[in-house]
Amino acid sequence: MDATQKPLRISPELGVYAEKHGIFQTLQRMLQCLLVDRPVDPIQYMIDHLKKENDEVPRIFLLGPPASGKLTIAKLLGDKISTNFLTLNNMLTNEKSDFANKIQRLSIRNKEIPNTLWAKLIRERLSKTDCIKRGWILVGFPKTREQALVLQEMGIAPDHVVILDAPDTVLIERNLGKRIDVSTGEIYHTTFNWPTSSKIQNRLVKPNGITEEETAKRLLEYRRINHGILSSYSKKYHIINADQPSVDVLSQALSHVQSRHRSNAPYTPRILLHGPPGSGRSLQAALIAEKYRIVNVSCGQLLKEPVAAETRFGEAIKPYVESRQPVPDVMVMKCMSQRLSKLDCSTQGWVMHGFPQDVRQAEMLKDAGFIPNRVFFLDVPDDAVIERLTVRMTDPITGERYHSIYKPAPTSEVYSRCKVNPKDSEENVQKVLEVYHANVRDLEQFYNSVIHVNADQDPYTVFEYIESCVVKPLSKCTNIFV
């Protein structure tokens, strides 16, 4: 890179490396921590920050009204993502610190506990090695906007906020059935979670404050102050209906905490569309390229261009193209590499279709340094593919493509001169589908961040979903199915 040249020409390899390793996100996170902590020695602070390797660990607040199931869902979620489950009570019980002692003394004397003291206790707990390495889920705190602001002033900020909620009548009914095991502190319910052991049943007691009047009063107070929490974490919270089976609540919570917030890092789209013939890859690629001004890289078109221009490379592949035989992978890769290496692809991005068709081609693409950051599989049933292809026709004069069902020729004159491509016969389509199905599973495993799209619907509906996945960051989970 030559710093004297404007604009700076950044090699495509640098962008791929930075995106793969999250360089821009690391720098952004480091800058945020610097501004919050204001260390005396910023250089050593950044070195220590990098050594922690904890930018991707969960940092979650799980909030909600009384009896919304916060503790139950937090424990299940903590087990699912292997992180620390924290409440104010377990921090007071397990922590040996001056802050915990002060809070306990104030509690014994029925004194109000300052929000700053709670925040200091939480910050002390979050500074422990297990929270740094594995992350944390903090349950039931903050409850007010003032508490949220105190946490923010101390540099305690979640990446995700999960808020459970349900109608007050449901929450009151739930609270009436709550029981506590005095020996273990475990919470049970007369309807939803009753222990099978008679020994445990005999030592269960009703907790204080669960009568209908007391619960209604607490819910009224929660509704009054809850808007302050929503405004404090307006871009991070997600409300989940708690009036459904816990497995469904957990699934929605897990989906939210595995999502990523949009980064300010520069992003160059490198999109791969894969699917059976007739799945609409060409149309979707054209729509994406037109809207986002990226390069539409069609493998078939790239091979036809040098043949039409009668270049040396075109002469080499012409026999394969004319006889409709597969062009050798080495020649295809040479053609693709030349196109993807051009400046417009490196700076604007690209959407590719028609290649790769199997794992060997995908490995060649990867070895050449062209790694897609979005991989879409357009899924269409075989019978729909046959219906789409076997009745499509092309006007030899205008080159316009028509379909007997979805896009009929405008006049009888145009219809009479339309021709059906021999490769669209049902027999040929079946052969192509067999090849596709023989390779699709291996390709799916090769590209572990695959987004499956139901392409057997209106093409603009398909485009809207693809567009949403291009714009939003990928989830932390590996595969997405729609």
Side-chain angles (χ1 to χ4, degrees):
M1 186 188 307
D2 185 355
T4 64
Q5 298 292 325
K6 304 293 182 179
L8 295 178
R9 294 283 298 275
I10 301 175
S11 67
E13 291 82 4
L14 177 59
V16 173
Y17 179 86
E19 185 176 323
K20 178 181 178 181
H21 296 281
I23 301 298
F24 297 104
Q25 291 84 347
T26 300
L27 292 174
Q28 182 179 1
R29 180 87 183 176
M30 197 182 301
L31 181 60
Q32 290 173 347
C33 294
L34 277 172
L35 294 175
V36 171
D37 295 341
R38 299 176 185 177
V40 177
D41 186 352
I43 301 300
Q44 186 59 46
Y45 176 89
M46 288 189 287
I47 293 172
D48 294 337
H49 177 91
L50 292 173
K51 288 180 179 179
K52 291 179 181 178
E53 298 181 350
N54 69 333
D55 284 345
E56 288 292 321
V57 299
R59 300 178 181 88
I60 303 165
F61 285 171
L62 202 152
L63 311 173
S68 58
K70 300 185 294 294
L71 293 175
T72 300
I73 297 301
K75 289 177 180 178
L76 293 172
L77 190 59
D79 292 340
K80 198 76 174 177
I81 60 178
S82 301
T83 193
N84 293 286
F85 164 75
L86 306 177
T87 66
L88 298 182
N89 287 336
N90 68 27
M91 282 188 279
L92 285 175
T93 304
N94 300 329
E95 294 300 310
K96 304 298 182 182
S97 71
D98 292 339
F99 301 126
N101 293 334
K102 288 180 182 178
I103 291 173
Q104 288 172 345
R105 286 197 296 268
L106 289 173
S107 180
I108 292 172
R109 292 155 51 191
N110 292 323
K111 296 285 187 178
E112 182 179 356
I113 301 170
N115 291 330
T116 305
L117 194 55
W118 282 119
K120 288 180 179 178
L121 175 68
I122 294 170
R123 183 176 63 178
E124 183 180 56
R125 178 66 184 90
L126 299 186
S127 65
K128 302 288 185 181
T129 302
D130 59 341
C131 286
I132 292 174
K133 293 295 184 183
R134 295 171 50 216
W136 42 267
I137 301 175
L138 179 61
V139 184
F141 195 92
K143 297 179 180 178
T144 66
R145 178 171 174 79
E146 290 72 23
Q147 291 175 346
L149 292 175
V150 170
L151 291 178
Q152 291 175 9
E153 289 172 0
M154 293 192 177
I156 302 171
D159 293 327
H160 299 88
V161 178
V162 177
I163 300 179
L164 306 182
D165 206 354
D168 287 357
T169 53
V170 173
L171 297 174
I172 291 172
E173 184 180 355
R174 281 189 182 183
N175 219 26
L176 291 174
K178 186 183 294 185
R179 299 292 184 270
I180 294 181
D181 185 339
V182 293
S183 299
T184 64
E186 285 290 320
I187 298 176
Y188 295 91
H189 196 278
T190 55
T191 303
F192 307 113
N193 183 26
W194 191 247
T196 55
S197 169
S198 58
K199 184 178 180 181
I200 296 177
Q201 293 175 9
N202 293 333
R203 63 177 187 241
L204 295 181
V205 298
K206 283 186 178 181
N208 296 325
I210 67 167
T211 65
E212 185 172 345
E213 294 76 11
E214 290 171 312
T215 305
K217 184 178 180 180
R218 291 167 60 196
L219 287 172
L220 184 63
E221 177 66 13
Y222 173 82
R223 303 296 181 199
R224 185 180 67 81
I225 62 177
N226 185 52
H227 68 89
I229 292 294
L230 300 183
S231 61
S232 300
Y233 303 107
S234 58
K235 296 183 179 180
K236 296 184 177 181
Y237 77 83
H238 179 63
I239 299 177
I240 298 175
N241 177 21
D243 187 20
Q244 54 183 325
S246 58
V247 64
D248 295 328
V249 178
L250 174 63
S251 175
Q252 294 176 44
L254 184 63
S255 176
H256 176 60
V257 302
Q258 286 181 330
S259 65
R260 299 176 188 267
H261 299 294
R262 189 173 300 178
S263 170
N264 294 324
Y267 172 64
T268 303
R270 299 186 302 276
I271 304 167
L272 172 61
L273 300 180
H274 185 70
S279 58
R281 294 168 299 174
S282 299
L283 174 59
Q284 297 302 326
L287 293 173
I288 294 170
E290 181 181 6
K291 179 159 187 178
Y292 292 101
R293 300 292 187 270
I294 62 178
V295 182
N296 185 350
V297 181
S298 169
C299 179
Q301 188 62 31
L302 285 180
L303 293 176
K304 292 176 183 177
E305 287 174 359
V307 174
E310 298 182 349
T311 63
R312 291 182 60 186
F313 180 73
E315 291 297 324
I317 65 173
K318 186 176 180 179
Y320 299 101
V321 175
E322 290 183 343
S323 62
R324 300 188 182 277
Q325 295 297 316
V327 179
D329 290 347
V330 175
M331 292 184 174
V332 177
M333 191 61 230
K334 178 181 179 181
C335 185
M336 298 293 291
S337 181
Q338 288 176 348
R339 185 64 188 93
L340 295 173
S341 298
K342 290 186 177 180
L343 183 62
D344 57 352
C345 284
S346 300
T347 56
Q348 299 172 27
W350 43 263
V351 52
M352 180 167 54
H353 53 105
F355 188 90
Q357 296 181 352
D358 55 40
V359 171
R360 183 173 182 274
Q361 293 178 350
E363 290 174 343
M364 294 173 69
L365 193 67
K366 180 182 178 181
D367 293 342
F370 304 110
I371 303 172
N373 48 25
R374 293 291 186 278
V375 180
F376 295 94
F377 277 32
L378 307 184
D379 298 332
V380 182
D382 286 0
D383 56 350
V385 169
I386 293 171
E387 180 185 86
R388 288 185 181 189
L389 296 183
T390 55
V391 292
R392 70 180 181 182
M393 304 166 290
T394 304
D395 185 345
I397 295 179
T398 64
E400 187 72 22
R401 182 177 288 176
Y402 299 102
H403 193 281
S404 298
I405 300 174
Y406 305 114
K407 187 184 177 183
T411 66
S412 58
E413 180 184 354
V414 174
Y415 179 80
S416 64
R417 67 177 185 240
C418 284
K419 303 293 183 183
V420 177
N421 194 321
K423 72 176 184 179
D424 289 339
S425 68
E426 185 170 346
E427 182 182 357
N428 288 335
V429 172
Q430 287 284 10
K431 291 180 180 179
V432 175
L433 284 172
E434 288 175 5
V435 174
Y436 169 79
H437 290 304
N439 294 302
V440 66
R441 295 303 174 197
D442 292 336
L443 269 176
E444 184 179 347
Q445 292 178 2
F446 184 85
Y447 293 113
N448 57 4
S449 295
V450 167
I451 304 173
H452 285 265
V453 184
N454 175 19
D456 189 20
Q457 53 184 328
D458 181 78
Y460 291 95
T461 302
V462 176
F463 170 69
E464 288 175 2
Y465 180 73
I466 292 176
E467 182 185 24
S468 70
C469 294
V470 170
V471 173
K472 295 178 182 177
L474 281 178
S475 170
K476 294 178 183 178
C477 53
T478 56
N479 285 286
I480 303 174
F481 295 88
V482 173

